[in-house]
């Protein structure tokens, strides 16, 4: 049995932690994040933005940034809210969620800004 990991991650190193599928890929650029928001609204899912301190990402609920954007279809509005959350909390992780009303679950979830531990 090999003692090698397929990615460098450690619970003690908050910068190495993986959050969801996209965190195993290179960081998304603005165009790629836009495409994800376009997908969320095209599915009719309700966008929402959450944030938390990097050290609390796994052991606490994330804070909701305002209410979910029920029925929002304007991609620029969703992106502006994610950026406003990041600007207000620059050291926090910020994630974008797409709530699926019919399945009563999250249809999408991705960290769009990574915070820096203090």
């Amino acid at each position: 049995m090999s003692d090698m990991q397929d990615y460098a991650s450690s619970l003690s190193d908050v910068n190495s932690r993986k959050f969801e599928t996209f965190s195993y890929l290179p960081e998304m650029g603005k165009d790629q994040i836009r495409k994800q928001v376009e997908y969320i609204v095209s599915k009719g899912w309700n966008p929402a933005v959450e944030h938390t301190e990097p050290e609390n990402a796994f052991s606490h609920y994330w804070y909701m940034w305002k209410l979910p954007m029920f029925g929002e279809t304007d991609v620029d509005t969703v992106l502006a809210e994610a950026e406003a959350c990041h600007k207000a909390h620059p050291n926090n992780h910020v994630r974008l969620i797409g709530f699926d009303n019919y399945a009563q679950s999250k249809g999408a979830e991705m960290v769009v800004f990574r915070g820096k531990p203090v």
Side-chain angles (χ1 to χ4, degrees), residues 2-75:
S2 172
D3 59 347
M4 290 181 49
Q5 286 185 292
D6 60 342
Y7 62 90
S9 180
S10 168
L11 288 177
S12 62
D13 179 7
V14 295
N15 291 316
S16 72
R17 295 180 186 166
K18 305 301 179 192
F19 295 98
E20 75 293 312
T21 303
F22 292 126
S23 68
Y24 290 87
L25 301 172
E27 193 170 326
M28 288 190 287
K30 289 188 180 222
D31 290 339
Q32 292 165 314
I33 294 170
R34 173 176 278 281
K35 288 191 183 296
Q36 294 303 317
V37 175
E38 288 171 355
Y39 180 77
I40 287 169
V41 299
S42 77
K43 297 296 261 181
W45 296 341
N46 293 307
V49 176
E50 294 180 334
H51 65 97
T52 193
E53 299 85 358
E55 61 273 14
N56 295 335
F58 289 99
S59 59
H60 295 76
Y61 286 106
W62 290 44
Y63 311 109
M64 186 161 281
W65 173 256
K66 301 183 179 179
L67 292 173
M69 294 172 263
F70 298 108
E72 184 60 65
T73 58
D74 182 29
V75 173

Side-chain angles (χ1 to χ4, degrees), residues 5 25 100 103 109 111:
Q5 286 185 292
L25 301 172
D100 182 341
E109 177 179 75
V111 174

